[in-house]
Amino acid sequence: MADEVKKEPRKIVPKKYPMPEQDPKERTKNFNEVPIGQDAQTAILEAQRCLQCKRGPNRKLCMDGCPVEIEIPAFIKQVQEGNFEEAIKIIRQKQNLPAVCGRVCPYENQCEGNCVVGKKNEPVGIGRLERFLADWERKEMKKGKIEVPPSTGKKVAVVGGGPAGLTVAGDLARLGHKVSVFEALQYCGGVLIYGIPEFRLPKEIVKAEVDYISRMGVDIKNDFVVGKLDTVDELLQEHDVVFVATGAGLPDWTGLVGENLNGIMSANEYLTRVNLMKAFKFPEYDTPIRVGERVVTIGGGNVAMDCARTSLRLGCKESVILYRRSDAELPARREEIHHAKDEGVRFELLAAPLEFIGDECGNVKQVKAIRMQLGEPDASGRRRPIKIPGSEFLIDAQTVLIAIGQSPNPLVPMTTPDLKTTKEGTIAVDEEGRTSKKAVWAGGDIASGAATVILAMGDGKRAAKSMHKYLLGDKSWPSPEVFEKLSCEM
Amino acid sequence: RKAKAGQFIMVTPTEHGERIPLTMADFSPEKGTITIAALEVGKTTRELGTLKAGDKLFSLVGPLGLPTHLHKYGNVVSIGGGIGLALMYPVVRSFKQSGNHTINIVGARNEKLLMYESEIKSVSDEFFVCTDDGTKGHKGFVSDILKDLIAKGNKIDLVYAVGPIIMMKVIANITKAHNIKTIVSLNPIMVDGTGMCGSCRVIIKGETKFGCVDGPEFDGHEVDFENLTARNKRYMPEEQIALRRWQGAK
Ligand SMILES: Cc1cc2nc3c(=O)[nH]c(=O)nc-3n(C[C@H](O)[C@H](O)[C@H](O)COP(=O)(O)OP(=O)(O)OC[C@H]3O[C@@H](n4cnc5c(N)ncnc54)[C@H](O)[C@@H]3O)c2cc1C
Ligand SMILES: Cc1cc2nc3c(=O)[nH]c(=O)nc-3n(C[C@H](O)[C@H](O)[C@H](O)COP(=O)(O)OP(=O)(O)OC[C@H]3O[C@@H](n4cnc5c(N)ncnc54)[C@H](O)[C@@H]3O)c2cc1C
Ligand code: SF4
Ligand code: FES
């Protein structure tokens, strides 16, 4: 093979094959997905841009950048030959939610960031290939029971049905353990279902992924709030091990004067109403939502972008993002920032809110803000924003969305006294995801603080391996001092 | 199985439904049942009203919120108005079981809207009824009776009030003047009911609290009732639209 390549060097296609997108003017009028996805022919062409590299001693490959270790060259090879069924099987060995990750992963910093083709040209579009295969599978393949090995008789409880929990559920089911997922809301998916909007991640896709996991024999118990119904200790009476993945769902507030005025909402309330409860289809669905003429979103992450873009689709005249640092520091994915700009979101950068001003009925009408400048880098390495005295200004706003961060959900730690937490309220874990409580693991945002889908899944993978080892009989557990140290260090 | 007095559940009647909070009016761990009572004020509660025995709810989560803090206080006056009566029964029953002398005042707009009257009466040492229009018991407000009790020099160790915001506010004002500890059960608008969104935030002693996790019961003297009243009107126009649309379809 190698000889053949030498004889006839393959011509490198410098750019990714384009991914059709909805026109910005049209798309702000609907909640349909923005990128439309590639067809089979384009996917094969895209796959053919891949060089099928082999790992060398000093050579980092695409798959080294993947937190869940998908065999990327192997699946791409199958796509090159048009064997989509084989290709998705290879992905499924490692990845429990391919249709999701193919859409929301920051692959530019992960697999695609390591791609050899990407050194001089655009990297192979690994994310869009993964997405294509998952979509193809959903449309073309039969829905039946999915074969898993005979039961080991071991029982696993997973608390929280977000990406971390679903990953553990999928991995351990695939090894023959009996898994139950306990989820507080009426659907599984976590942020995927209540946070990330329909136009980025259609909820039908999340539901299909969850359905896939339940077809592997995982028992999904929705509407089950652990800590209010059973506690972790009670779950341990009926299960051999427990994995806690309750996420970081607690909204942070500015604490400024006027924050409880009507029209001011946490990003979580806003996105939950719109995504989980489908308030954008009110009154066909019963949950109401209201946006004013101008919506001001405070923050600069993915959550803020989602709020600002959702507001446009709900019909506001102007959607403004207020962020205290400059464009370069915006923590959202670049693709999302571009999408927001294309759609007409206005960025009011280097500005921070001081106070919310209301009318006589208790509705918000203005935000008082102040201009900022960037000073010396702080502990996080980002330049610290400093207020410019005398630069106060007012922005009219009938709706204000607070998207300045989320903290870990405290309910499980609160009701599990022997679970050590850090100062930030995250659950302290070692590198395998083990907690200070024997037979209990934790991962995802509850252990790391608000992070990303793929990191939550990576945590799930590591924990699942460690849990499997324990279930097979290796009951070793780190000493309590390890967690004492972990909880002070952080 | 886990339910305690003062806690609530979130109910979604159908897949297109919204999540609404309802208090457990009664529960039986042996039979594994809970009882809820809902007042038909809008679309969702009316839709619940059309359900028949054996119908299934799309989703039901709970118990949520903190249970009532039970304790032997001594003389406890509990006051319920309107739908608050359904919320009141398990609480007063527990007060009685904890060895308190229970004085219960129930009120409604008219006789037809009085609920759980006999149940509440059965756990009362003293019992008063009033209706706005005088069709049963005292004509007037529950607060009249409370004022009367205080004026007559009754020793009151705790007042518990649940019902319309305005009623709880009036009661809290009366007891504040006499320095009587007062607990109110608040009814802010909720979405998830598990502490994830802050829709239910209320101002308690100047601080923001979440009704669904820190409550729903709070010290009546520390609640910012104006803010709660304003916040609960947030979706009035939409609630009208939903109701009218639903009635149109019927
Ligand atoms: C609006 C928004 C946009 C985002 N965009 C991106 C993006 O583009 N790319 C990206 O990589 N990341 C993104 N993120 C971050 C990413 O979604 C999270 O890092 C990831 O979902 C964390 O997964 P998790 O499983 O730890 O927690 P979650 O997804 O938060 O799931 C936790 C689950 O546990 C349930 N739960 C909580 N408490 C209990 C309890 N006591 N009992 C039972 N169940 C409970 C919750 O209901 C929830 O379903 C975004 C986040 C938000 C909010
Ligand atoms: C902790 C708690 C316990 C409750 N217990 C009971 C109970 O046992 N029985 C009962 O009949 N009612 C109870 N309520 C009130 C009940 O939730 C509302 O009556 C119901 O949500 C109205 O829904 P709707 O669609 O019929 O009316 P809508 O047309 O939506 O609204 C009518 C009124 O209900 C209020 N309301 C609407 N949605 C909510 C919501 N999600 N949360 C709170 N209030 C809302 C509105 O402010 C409005 O005044 C409780 C509320 C809380 C917060
Ligand atoms: S690094 Fe790029 S070219 Fe090499 S195998 Fe991976 S995807 Fe293909
Ligand atoms: S209802 Fe969402 S935090 Fe209370």
Side-chain angles (χ1 to χ4, degrees):
Chain A
M1 247 249 331
D3 290 342
E4 272 173 34
V5 176
K6 252 179 213 154
K7 262 184 259 155
E8 212 182 304
R10 197 191 267 132
K11 236 179 59 208
I12 290 184
V13 182
K15 289 214 157 164
K16 289 183 193 173
Y17 284 87
M19 175 94 130
E21 269 184 8
Q22 267 198 81
D23 181 72
K25 282 209 195 64
E26 275 309 306
R27 73 191 192 221
T28 52
K29 297 189 194 121
N30 63 49
F31 274 82
N32 299 340
E33 221 182 340
V34 170
I36 295 163
Q38 290 179 322
D39 58 21
Q41 198 49 46
T42 321
I44 294 174
L45 287 172
E46 182 72 49
Q48 283 169 351
R49 295 182 61 222
C50 167
L51 307 175
Q52 291 293 311
C53 323
K54 301 267 172 316
R55 256 199 185 113
N58 299 316
R59 194 163 187 207
K60 275 212 159 187
L61 276 196
C62 49
M63 52 194 295
D64 299 309
C66 175
V68 296
E69 305 163 352
I70 298 176
E71 304 276 347
I72 294 172
F75 97 71
I76 295 186
K77 180 152 200 303
Q78 297 300 329
V79 182
Q80 289 174 345
E81 289 158 17
N83 296 333
F84 301 144
E85 189 165 347
E86 269 313 304
I88 187 71
K89 264 196 199 143
I90 296 172
I91 295 183
R92 284 274 179 202
Q93 284 164 6
K94 295 290 169 66
Q95 163 65 288
N96 293 290
L97 309 166
V100 171
C101 272
R103 287 176 165 81
V104 302
C105 266
Y107 18 79
E108 58 273 23
N109 317 326
Q110 298 173 2
C111 52
E112 294 187 15
N114 278 358
C115 172
V116 176
V117 178
K119 296 249 155 65
K120 289 204 187 94
N121 298 290
E122 273 189 12
V124 176
I126 303 169
R128 51 186 71 176
L129 286 175
E130 181 179 1
R131 171 188 164 146
F132 165 79
L133 289 169
D135 290 351
W136 177 87
E137 177 194 38
R138 199 170 54 254
K139 284 187 214 107
E140 306 293 328
M141 284 184 42
K142 293 192 298 289
K143 307 249 161 9
K145 227 178 135 235
I146 291 150
E147 286 303 314
V148 288
S151 168
T152 59
K154 303 285 183 194
K155 288 168 90 180
V156 180
V158 171
V159 183
L166 292 174
T167 299
V168 166
D171 281 7
L172 292 181
R174 211 174 271 121
L175 292 165
H177 304 300
K178 179 73 203 139
V179 185
S180 304
V181 177
F182 298 86
E183 165 57 48
L185 293 173
Q186 67 267 46
Y187 298 113
C188 274
V191 172
L192 308 179
I193 203 110
Y194 74 75
I196 301 182
E198 192 79 20
F199 55 84
R200 281 218 280 142
L201 180 60
K203 302 305 145 210
E204 286 314 313
I205 291 177
V206 182
K207 286 179 189 166
E209 295 280 35
V210 174
D211 180 54
Y212 188 98
I213 289 170
S214 65
R215 282 190 281 134
M216 290 197 294
V218 172
D219 182 16
I220 293 188
K221 294 181 171 27
N222 293 331
D223 289 330
F224 196 112
V225 183
V226 172
K228 287 286 174 186
L229 278 163
D230 288 344
T231 59
V232 168
D233 285 298
E234 286 163 317
L235 290 177
L236 275 175
Q237 291 165 10
E238 291 183 8
H239 299 87
D240 298 284
V241 291
V242 174
F243 180 65
V244 179
T246 48
L250 198 71
D252 292 346
W253 299 94
T254 62
L256 298 173
V257 172
E259 196 161 40
N260 289 317
L261 286 165
N262 284 345
I264 304 186
M265 264 177 269
S266 70
N268 266 10
E269 178 184 349
Y270 188 66
L271 294 172
T272 302
R273 281 180 184 270
V274 178
N275 297 324
L276 179 72
M277 306 308 297
K278 302 218 182 306
F280 69 93
K281 290 193 184 158
F282 179 87
E284 184 192 328
Y285 282 73
D286 291 339
T287 305
I289 190 83
R290 167 135 25 102
V291 296
E293 294 224 320
R294 185 187 277 150
V295 180
V296 170
T297 303
I298 298 175
N302 284 323
V303 184
M305 298 305 140
D306 287 346
C307 284
R309 296 174 68 198
T310 297
S311 303
L312 288 175
R313 286 163 174 78
L314 290 174
C316 75
K317 292 233 172 72
E318 190 174 35
S319 177
V320 182
I321 282 194
L322 198 69
Y323 177 61
R324 59 196 184 128
R325 292 188 167 94
S326 71
D327 191 88
E329 289 88 19
L330 280 168
R333 287 178 57 206
R334 274 290 132 186
E335 187 184 331
E336 302 309 324
I337 299 170
H338 286 311
H339 277 146
K341 287 184 177 164
D342 286 348
E343 290 169 10
V345 171
R346 195 180 109 202
F347 284 73
E348 190 71 75
L349 299 169
L350 287 165
L354 291 178
E355 187 187 333
F356 304 104
I357 300 167
D359 63 14
E360 51 300 330
C361 308
N363 299 316
V364 67
K365 65 173 192 200
Q366 281 175 322
V367 180
K368 187 175 175 189
I370 187 164
R371 304 269 171 216
M372 311 290 273
Q373 62 190 22
L374 291 180
E376 294 300 306
D378 63 11
S380 75
R382 292 187 304 174
R383 293 176 64 196
R384 194 194 306 268
I386 306 166
K387 290 181 185 144
I388 305 179
S391 67
E392 289 87 355
F393 64 104
L394 291 170
I395 317 180
D396 287 344
Q398 294 75 42
T399 303
V400 176
L401 305 171
I402 314 280
I404 56 170
Q406 282 117 248
S407 305
N409 282 342
L411 184 58
V412 165
M414 249 163 48
T415 52
T416 319
D418 45 353
L419 208 53
K420 278 237 150 21
T421 54
T422 66
K423 274 210 298 293
E424 285 76 28
T426 56
I427 297 178
V429 291
D430 74 351
E431 65 288 345
E432 288 183 31
R434 293 179 293 193
T435 69
S436 56
K437 189 176 174 73
K438 195 163 173 149
V440 178
W441 283 254
D445 285 0
I446 186 71
S448 60
T452 63
V453 172
I454 191 75
L455 289 176
M457 297 179 61
D459 280 3
K461 277 247 120 70
R462 272 192 302 280
K465 276 189 198 137
S466 173
M467 290 163 89
H468 183 55
K469 214 169 61 187
Y470 181 95
L471 290 170
L472 294 185
D474 174 3
K475 310 260 163 176
S476 58
W477 208 261
S479 69
E481 292 83 62
V482 173
F483 296 100
E484 289 299 342
K485 223 172 121 243
L486 275 174
S487 48
C488 338
E489 256 177 17
M490 298 188 122
Chain B
R1 184 160 52 95
K2 296 272 172 164
K4 294 206 183 68
Q7 290 185 302
F8 64 94
I9 55 170
M10 297 294 294
V11 176
T12 319
T14 66
E15 200 175 343
H16 285 208
E18 63 178 331
R19 295 165 67 98
I20 64 162
L22 295 171
T23 306
M24 290 171 283
D26 201 358
F27 35 85
S28 156
E30 300 79 40
K31 281 189 276 179
T33 58
I34 58 170
T35 309
I36 49 177
L39 181 68
E40 299 188 6
V41 292
K43 176 191 168 209
T44 305
T45 42
R46 275 176 214 224
E47 188 169 57
L48 279 176
T50 63
L51 293 181
K52 295 176 289 298
D55 284 351
K56 270 179 86 176
L57 293 167
F58 173 65
S59 147
L60 185 155
V61 201
L64 300 169
L66 298 177
T68 307
H69 183 66
L70 289 171
H71 177 70
K72 192 163 177 220
Y73 296 94
N75 288 327
V76 177
V77 177
S78 303
I79 306 172
I83 187 65
L85 295 174
L87 290 68
M88 179 177 170
Y89 171 57
V91 176
V92 293
R93 184 177 57 184
S94 307
F95 278 141
K96 179 82 195 147
Q97 283 161 358
S98 312
N100 292 288
H101 179 78
T102 53
I103 306 169
N104 295 322
I105 311 174
V106 300
R109 247 175 289 147
N110 57 48
E111 186 182 357
K112 277 202 216 103
L113 293 175
L114 279 172
M115 313 189 309
Y116 280 85
E117 199 191 331
S118 54
E119 284 88 346
I120 296 176
K121 197 166 176 182
S122 72
V123 291
S124 305
D125 294 308
E126 294 174 49
F127 183 69
F128 301 91
V129 182
C130 34
T131 46
D132 295 5
D133 62 358
T135 40
K136 185 154 192 197
H138 167 78
K139 178 172 188 313
F141 299 128
V142 284
S143 48
D144 302 342
I145 306 216
L146 175 66
K147 276 193 213 147
D148 208 42
L149 287 172
I150 298 176
K152 285 191 184 136
N154 281 286
K155 184 176 154 301
I156 302 175
D157 300 292
L158 179 80
V159 169
Y160 180 90
V162 52
I165 300 175
I166 177 75
M167 175 207 113
M168 295 190 283
K169 181 174 152 185
V170 169
I171 303 275
N173 282 338
I174 296 172
T175 56
K176 195 163 192 174
H178 294 89
N179 229 334
I180 303 169
K181 185 174 164 60
T182 300
I183 299 175
V184 292
S185 179
L186 300 185
N187 56 343
I189 296 185
M190 296 190 179
V191 181
D192 59 301
T194 62
M196 273 174 29
C197 74
S199 169
C200 62
R201 61 199 198 274
V202 287
I203 306 180
I204 306 297
K205 230 172 143 185
E207 263 183 65
T208 298
K209 298 274 178 193
F210 285 5
C212 68
V213 283
D214 303 317
E217 294 175 1
F218 292 98
D219 183 334
H221 300 156
E222 298 177 345
V223 175
D224 182 341
F225 285 107
E226 279 71 35
N227 179 265
L228 179 60
T229 311
R231 286 185 61 78
N232 271 16
K233 290 193 187 134
R234 274 182 289 165
Y235 289 109
M236 281 230 284
E238 286 81 359
E239 284 153 7
Q240 291 301 319
I241 297 171
L243 180 59
R244 244 179 278 123
R245 182 174 182 274
W246 184 71
Q247 284 169 332
K250 285 263 123 181

